[in-house]
Amino acid sequence: AAEVKRAQLDLEPLRAAKLPVIFVLGGPGCGKGTQCEKIVQKYGFTHLSSGDLLRDEVASGSERGQALNAIMEKGDLVPLEVVLDLLAEAMLKKVSSSKGFLIDGYPREQAQGVQFEKNILPCTKVLYFEVPDETMVERLLNRAKTSGRVDDNEETIKKRLATFHKHSEPVIDYYKDKCACITATSSPDQIFVEVQKALDAI
């Protein structure tokens, strides 16, 4: 496998800042992207998605990006340490100007959460946007009409949902004391009222 160089990071500024770290979870089509935008606007948090950070790194053409691209082209999983490096670097860049961090779509499984907390910072709160499967399927099929995304057909969607439940349920269970389960079936503004209740309690 392509060797990905590890970054040498000094996380002291991040630990000293004591900013809240929020894991944001929810199945495909649950609307968490919209809620993250609203949180950024109202609370001044920084929104980080591990998927976006990986894509940006590949697009940068850096040595690490090329190694990551080779891994992803083979369909292999990117080493967790590298994802954590990317997240930590992004957090360090924003630490002086941010009021907190939204870690979007992460952890996808319990081990990732444990590792993040061990390597970077403890998680303050988990926001879990809960939507019935049939609603998510419907939303994604609607999105498919306009998005042209290859993974927005019914069979693929159902597979993605099954994968999501299998990996995320243990995460939500593990973090149950820190987890705010938000039913995300109403309008974005109504959902955001619940989000604010959860965040204002931090």
Side-chain angles (χ1 to χ4, degrees):
E3 218 15 72
V4 184
K5 275 217 184 91
R6 294 292 311 280
Q8 293 301 311
L9 299 174
D10 172 21
L11 294 177
E12 201 33 58
L14 209 48
R15 294 183 174 138
K18 297 201 176 3
L19 294 172
V21 173
I22 317 289
F23 289 160
V24 183
L25 299 175
C30 72
K32 63 184 165 52
T34 307
Q35 294 302 318
C36 283
E37 282 168 28
K38 288 177 173 293
I39 296 169
V40 169
Q41 282 165 359
K42 174 159 188 190
Y43 292 93
F45 283 19
T46 298
H47 178 209
L48 299 172
S49 143
S50 52
D52 288 349
L53 291 172
L54 281 168
R55 284 187 284 275
D56 291 348
E57 187 64 28
V58 168
S60 76
S62 69
E63 196 182 329
R64 180 170 61 179
Q66 289 168 4
L68 287 170
N69 195 38
I71 292 172
M72 296 197 288
E73 274 183 346
K74 284 214 290 269
D76 292 339
L77 281 179
V78 172
L80 178 56
E81 291 75 25
V82 180
V83 177
L84 290 171
D85 282 349
L86 291 170
L87 282 166
E89 282 168 40
M91 291 167 81
L92 280 166
K93 273 188 202 137
K94 299 282 190 191
V95 71
S96 58
S97 60
S98 186
K99 295 195 165 74
F101 297 100
L102 296 172
I103 314 290
D104 182 359
Y106 187 96
R108 281 173 192 261
E109 46 193 44
Q110 189 182 322
Q112 294 182 346
V114 172
Q115 209 56 36
F116 179 101
E117 294 197 287
K118 201 170 99 182
N119 292 23
I120 307 180
L121 282 177
C123 154
T124 317
K125 191 106 190 146
V126 177
L127 294 180
Y128 172 48
F129 293 102
E130 207 168 3
V131 177
D133 280 8
E134 54 273 22
T135 308
M136 284 198 272
V137 170
E138 203 177 304
R139 284 181 186 176
L140 290 168
L141 287 173
N142 276 330
R143 186 176 81 181
K145 290 174 190 158
T146 52
S147 74
R149 276 179 59 159
V150 286
D151 56 357
D152 279 350
N153 66 62
E154 189 154 357
E155 194 185 338
T156 319
I157 290 166
K158 287 191 166 148
K159 270 195 191 139
R160 279 166 65 202
L161 288 173
T163 306
F164 168 73
H165 288 304
K166 187 176 127 194
H167 293 295
S168 299
E169 274 155 19
V171 175
I172 291 149
D173 192 49
Y174 177 75
Y175 286 110
K176 58 179 178 291
D177 297 339
K178 295 179 177 178
C179 187
C181 276
I182 293 167
T183 306
T185 44
S186 51
S187 74
D189 288 341
Q190 285 170 302
I191 297 165
F192 191 55
V193 171
E194 296 307 312
V195 169
Q196 290 174 79
K197 285 182 197 162
L199 293 181
D200 291 344
I202 288 174

